[in-house]
Amino acid sequence: MLLGCRHCTIWANDQEEGPTGPGHYMDFKRVFRAPLFWVLAVIAITVMMFSFDSDGGYARVTTSQAEQLISDGKVDKAVFTSDNVLNLDLKKGETFTDKEAGVSGAAKVRTEFIDARAESLVTLVNEKVPDNYSDEIKGESVLWTFMISIFPVLLLVGLFWFMMSQAQGGGNRVMQFGKSRAKLASKDTPSVTFADVAGADEAVEELHEIKEFLSDPAKFLAVGAKIPKGVLLYGPPGTGKTLLARAVAGEAGVPFYSISGSDFVEMFVGVGASRVRDLFEQAKANAPAIVFVDEIDAVGRHRGAGLGGGHDEREQTLNQLLVEMDGFDVKTNVILIAATNRPDILDPALLRPGRFDRQIAVEAPDMIGRHRILEVHAQGKPMAAGVDLLAVARRTPGFTGADLANVLNEAALLTARSDKKLIDNATLDEAIDRVIAGPQKRTRIMSAHERKMTAYHEGGHAIVAAAMNHTDPVTKVTILPRGRALGYTMVMPVDDKYSTTRNEILDQLAYALGGRVAEEMIFHDPTTGASNDIEKATAMARKMVTEFGMSERVGAVKLGQSQGEVFLGRDMGHQRDYSEEVARIVDEEVRRFIEAAHDEAWHVINDNRAILDNLVLELLDKETLNQAEVAEIFKDIQKRPLREQWLSSEHRTVSTQPPVLTPAEAAALNGSRHVGQDGDVLPTSPGDPAMAAAINRAAEAGAHPEAAVDRDATKVIEVPEGQRVEPDQH
């Protein structure tokens, strides 16, 4: 069940710049928050301190000028300092002027001298100023001492401030890393509603109930109903979980807080728990509200899984989340919606009723859902007259909403690349192949021998798939390189399938090895091209034995643990859950399945060698064959005989009683069953292909009477109760 969103256009009104408009005045708050401003401020203060006038009003003169003043008896007082400076106070009425040095009418002068002149200056002062001279020992200033002692501390504080600003996304978040980083959806947020969601009707129905409760809680409280405190959306990537949450936000009309699971965890211990508390405090203060946590598996994993134990930052965050969810009141009207594509690794305490009461599976859509998703994403794209989106939906089983959106986007890109105006069927076909296998490598040069070998390899896959009795039709065979493959054979189901039978799996094993068998039979020298086929076949055969219970020697027993992640605190001390003897039997059974599939593929190719050669010639000529061309070549193919009915044990005998027939099937099969001498209807053999085909036709007609003719897939035809539906009635 997939989702698609309609393309929407957001119009924004331009703001004129003016005396009252944004940008007219400087944003001083932003300037003050910038770390560069404070760095420049510290540098400016330091420069001002060092450039402060410390001469004390003394004019600077040369040493000779100072000696002349002393010799002329103009000095009233002389002071020698420890840094080789002589300060002279002139007598009352005496001044000194030196226009070249820029000194005019100075009553106090200062000169600096070297150690060699110290003795002569002291002698001169003693002679001319005997009664008024002194010595001064200069120490460090108080301001300088303060700066020397406090500057390293200021530097460390500034560095820490800067690091916190960068770690929290700007100076405005300094010392606020414990606050929630959730985004609040506003009226300016592009709105998505349930009308924009396609292919997930059940999920939309469940979430629509959430919207109704938030808008009218009294309706539910009147009958004693409690709305789920938490809703978990889980499913494969690309199925539309986040889109569903956005649709709830657009429909709810209440505050909608969205946050990623990774935003709770920070480099500091305890930050995650603090952010959880702050988030729920905000939500409760603005109740009714919705809190959406995307990728909740980032904080919701199994506890005790790591080496840190309960002191792990992630586990503390999860514990706080559990406490906050338990603290909800019935009338609080705060609902938590979470999304994940890995529900298997979530902590059991998080999934229990009372926390996530409702768990909604968002899966890949069926054919009708894919058709609706394609219609949604096709809006705004020019389509050619002959384009059938329903046919595209039939050819894309297993595609998610994101895959389908990518198909149409690739088709649009290819159309624009080729300077076309409309998206046609050929472009859509190429887009599907690009999404499945990657872009085509048109420039790759292959030798004639390797090209022929590739044709036989892909032909082997196709002919074995066509000759088996439980396989889907071959829709395309090509020898053009695409992605990492030199060629590929596409086997697509006609309808959506949700389970696979044992015979279908055995057929898959056979045609997976068809390419390798063709190489062995024709060239007597297999290549490395079948490595991926062998890998897939081996994995499927092993699952048949260890997971699906399709081996009579092993039985219906699940062997081994699922291939999930290993939790050090939980799984490392566990032993393998089966013995070496059972492991040997498993290997033997896997080998037996592979060998049987190998033999079946060999018989098919050996019996239909002429058809295979004809297919190879067509491939070498056209390089790509569609479903109709392949069916024409395989019209005289020799099918493999039906397999004997498999019994899980020789002690459990075969039942000859066929499945019960519905009234529609029984009516449609009138005249198709065997009748005994006494008039009783005799059961047909379970393996009768004619009977099986008739039942399939009858079931299809009874369930979908409109499917007998080409009609809109979404059309509903009402049938009066108690009346039989004729296949061609409508």
Side-chain angles (χ1 to χ4, degrees), residues 137-157:
I137 306 297
K138 297 193 71 175
E140 301 290 344
S141 66
V142 178
L143 183 60
W144 176 251
T145 304
F146 175 77
M147 286 299 301
I148 291 298
S149 60
I150 202 66
F151 186 75
V153 179
L154 293 177
L155 183 61
L156 291 176
V157 172

Side-chain angles (χ1 to χ4, degrees), residues 31-43:
V31 174
F32 292 145
R33 291 169 179 171
L36 182 61
F37 171 79
W38 295 103
V39 172
L40 295 177
V42 172
I43 296 175

Side-chain angles (χ1 to χ4, degrees), residues 644-657:
E644 296 182 359
Q645 183 174 355
W646 177 74
L647 295 177
S648 59
S649 174
E650 59 182 6
H651 302 292
R652 292 185 280 271
T653 58
V654 180
S655 175
T656 59
Q657 184 176 356

Side-chain angles (χ1 to χ4, degrees), residues 490-501:
M490 190 177 296
V491 182
M492 289 290 188
V494 178
D495 300 315
D496 294 312
K497 301 178 65 175
Y498 304 99
S499 62
T500 308
T501 65

Side-chain angles (χ1 to χ4, degrees), residues 378-690:
Q379 295 182 6
K381 295 181 175 62
M383 297 290 179
V387 172
D388 187 4
L389 293 180
L390 182 59
V392 178
R394 293 181 184 273
R395 295 172 51 200
T396 52
F399 275 43
T400 64
D403 295 330
L404 296 173
N406 194 22
V407 167
L408 290 180
N409 187 59
E410 287 287 347
L413 293 175
L414 292 172
T415 302
R417 186 185 302 176
S418 57
D419 296 328
K420 297 180 180 179
K421 302 299 182 182
L422 299 176
I423 301 175
D424 54 15
N425 288 318
T427 307
L428 285 171
D429 183 73
E430 174 64 19
I432 294 174
D433 293 343
R434 290 174 68 92
V435 172
I436 294 177
Q440 190 175 112
K441 299 179 180 179
R442 301 182 182 274
T443 59
R444 173 172 290 181
I445 300 176
M446 298 173 59
S447 64
H449 176 74
E450 190 169 9
R451 194 163 175 267
K452 182 177 290 186
M453 183 173 290
T454 303
Y456 269 105
H457 182 100
E458 301 303 331
H461 287 305
I463 198 169
V464 176
M468 306 307 290
N469 297 284
H470 303 89
T471 57
D472 300 313
V474 180
T475 58
K476 178 180 285 188
V477 183
T478 180
I479 58 174
L480 292 176
R482 186 182 294 273
R484 294 182 297 175
L486 297 178
Y488 63 91
T489 300
M490 190 177 296
V491 182
M492 289 290 188
V494 178
D495 300 315
D496 294 312
K497 301 178 65 175
Y498 304 99
S499 62
T500 308
T501 65
R502 185 176 184 271
N503 281 319
E504 290 173 345
I505 298 177
L506 293 178
D507 286 359
Q508 292 176 14
L509 295 180
Y511 73 73
L513 297 175
R516 169 64 180 263
V517 174
E519 293 178 0
E520 293 178 359
M521 291 184 61
I522 301 342
F523 300 98
H524 312 291
D525 189 15
T527 68
T528 59
S531 59
N532 187 252
D533 301 329
I534 296 174
E535 179 183 356
K536 293 181 178 179
T538 305
M540 183 60 69
R542 188 168 295 277
K543 286 183 177 181
M544 291 178 64
V545 179
T546 61
E547 297 183 24
F548 304 151
M550 295 180 178
S551 170
E552 60 272 14
R553 293 186 62 189
V554 177
V557 180
K558 173 67 169 63
L559 300 178
Q561 299 178 0
S562 58
Q563 299 298 319
E565 70 179 87
V566 176
F567 293 96
L568 296 179
R570 190 187 67 184
D571 294 335
M572 290 299 290
H574 288 196
Q575 304 180 19
R576 189 173 60 182
D577 55 3
Y578 56 93
S579 64
E580 294 293 336
E581 178 65 21
V582 175
R584 183 184 62 82
I585 296 175
V586 169
D587 293 339
E588 292 177 355
E589 288 294 285
V590 171
R591 176 66 181 269
R592 181 172 67 86
F593 282 132
I594 296 296
E595 287 294 328
H598 207 130
D599 293 341
E600 284 188 322
W602 186 90
H603 285 291
V604 169
I605 295 178
N606 189 61
D607 296 338
N608 300 277
R609 175 61 187 274
I611 298 177
L612 176 61
D613 293 338
N614 187 22
L615 175 64
V616 169
L617 291 176
E618 291 292 328
L619 281 174
L620 294 175
D621 180 37
K622 299 180 179 179
E623 294 184 328
T624 300
L625 300 176
N626 57 30
Q627 184 174 357
E629 293 171 335
V630 172
E632 178 63 24
I633 297 174
F634 290 161
K635 62 181 180 180
D636 297 326
I637 196 171
Q638 183 178 344
K639 292 273 190 177
R640 289 290 296 163
L642 293 172
R643 299 186 183 91
E644 296 182 359
Q645 183 174 355
W646 177 74
L647 295 177
S648 59
S649 174
E650 59 182 6
H651 302 292
R652 292 185 280 271
T653 58
V654 180
S655 175
T656 59
Q657 184 176 356
V660 65
L661 298 178
T662 65
E665 292 171 346
L669 288 176
N670 191 18
S672 304
R673 295 172 293 177
H674 301 285
V675 181
Q677 296 180 354
D678 55 355
D680 296 335
V681 178
L682 301 178
T684 56
S685 85
D688 189 354

Side-chain angles (χ1 to χ4, degrees), residues 138-402:
K138 297 193 71 175
E140 301 290 344
S141 66
V142 178
L143 183 60
W144 176 251
T145 304
F146 175 77
M147 286 299 301
I148 291 298
S149 60
I150 202 66
F151 186 75
V153 179
L154 293 177
L155 183 61
L156 291 176
V157 172
L159 182 61
F160 178 75
W161 187 288
F162 178 76
M163 292 178 60
M164 292 297 301
S165 301
Q166 297 300 313
Q168 302 302 319
N172 59 334
R173 301 296 299 268
V174 175
M175 306 305 293
Q176 297 185 12
F177 48 82
K179 301 295 183 180
S180 171
R181 303 177 67 180
K183 298 179 181 178
L184 177 61
S186 63
K187 61 180 181 180
D188 298 328
T189 305
S191 61
V192 177
T193 64
F194 289 145
D196 302 315
V197 179
D201 297 338
E202 291 80 4
V204 170
E205 182 181 351
E206 297 290 334
L207 293 174
H208 190 77
E209 183 180 296
I210 303 296
K211 172 202 170 185
E212 290 185 353
F213 177 83
L214 293 174
S215 59
D216 186 16
K219 171 183 173 182
F220 295 87
L221 296 176
V223 295
K226 299 179 180 179
I227 199 65
K229 297 179 180 179
V231 179
L232 180 65
L233 304 175
Y234 66 93
T239 52
K241 300 181 292 294
T242 305
L243 180 63
L244 274 171
R246 290 173 58 193
V248 174
E251 292 277 356
V254 298
F256 186 88
Y257 298 89
S258 69
I259 190 173
S260 173
S262 60
D263 288 335
F264 288 114
V265 183
E266 197 56 75
M267 61 184 291
F268 306 104
V269 179
V271 173
S274 176
R275 289 180 177 175
V276 171
R277 287 192 296 270
D278 184 67
L279 172 61
F280 284 99
E281 287 176 1
Q282 295 181 37
K284 292 176 183 178
N286 296 280
I290 296 176
V291 177
F292 174 62
V293 181
D294 201 5
E295 306 295 343
I296 196 174
D297 53 276
V299 295
R301 295 171 179 255
H302 284 275
R303 288 172 290 183
L307 298 176
H311 299 288
D312 182 67
E313 166 66 4
R314 180 187 53 77
E315 291 196 7
Q316 290 190 15
T317 306
L318 176 58
N319 291 336
Q320 187 63 43
L321 181 63
L322 297 176
V323 171
E324 293 293 338
M325 295 186 70
D326 276 343
F328 284 2
D329 189 12
V330 179
K331 299 181 179 180
T332 303
N333 294 353
V334 176
I335 299 174
L336 178 64
I337 301 177
T340 180
N341 52 22
R342 305 188 65 186
D344 55 311
I345 67 173
L346 296 180
D347 194 271
L350 192 64
L351 301 177
R352 73 162 177 82
R355 291 191 175 118
F356 282 111
D357 304 274
R358 184 166 298 177
Q359 301 175 21
I360 303 174
V362 186
E363 300 175 344
D366 56 9
M367 185 182 67
I368 303 301
R370 293 194 299 273
H371 184 206
R372 293 174 57 191
I373 293 173
L374 289 171
E375 289 179 337
V376 169
H377 289 288
Q379 295 182 6
K381 295 181 175 62
M383 297 290 179
V387 172
D388 187 4
L389 293 180
L390 182 59
V392 178
R394 293 181 184 273
R395 295 172 51 200
T396 52
F399 275 43
T400 64

